[in-house]
Amino acid sequence: ADVLGIMSEISFTFNTEGNYTDLSSILQQILKSSNRLFAINSVNVRKIDDESQTLLMSIVGKSYYIK
């Protein structure tokens, strides 16, 4: 009999910075190219400072795997 194993999870935080177009592209790549089941709990985007167009994106989630 095959035993699938126990599903476990790893919490993660992914931080990156760039302009809006770059961050949008990164987020789309993550969603399209991952071969692992994951859940995104939150996505936060904020300006690094008032004088810059650079944004900071923080993604918090969980990735799942079979032990």
Side-chain angles (χ1 to χ4, degrees):
D2 290 345
V3 177
L4 291 177
I6 299 171
M7 186 172 290
S8 295
E9 62 185 44
I10 298 174
S11 296
F12 66 87
T13 301
F14 175 72
N15 296 309
T16 190
E17 59 183 62
N19 62 38
Y20 177 84
T21 303
D22 293 339
L23 296 183
S24 177
S25 177
I26 290 168
L27 187 54
Q28 288 178 21
Q29 280 299 111
I30 291 170
L31 294 174
K32 287 180 182 177
S33 66
S34 178
N35 59 356
R36 192 176 287 275
L37 178 63
F38 65 94
I40 294 178
N41 296 2
S42 66
V43 177
N44 296 303
V45 179
R46 66 177 176 86
K47 287 178 84 173
I48 289 184
D49 59 49
D50 290 334
E51 289 125 28
S52 174
Q53 293 299 314
T54 303
L55 301 170
L56 175 65
M57 179 172 64
S58 179
I59 301 172
V60 177
K62 293 179 182 177
S63 180
Y64 300 94
Y65 66 97
I66 306 275
K67 281 186 172 181

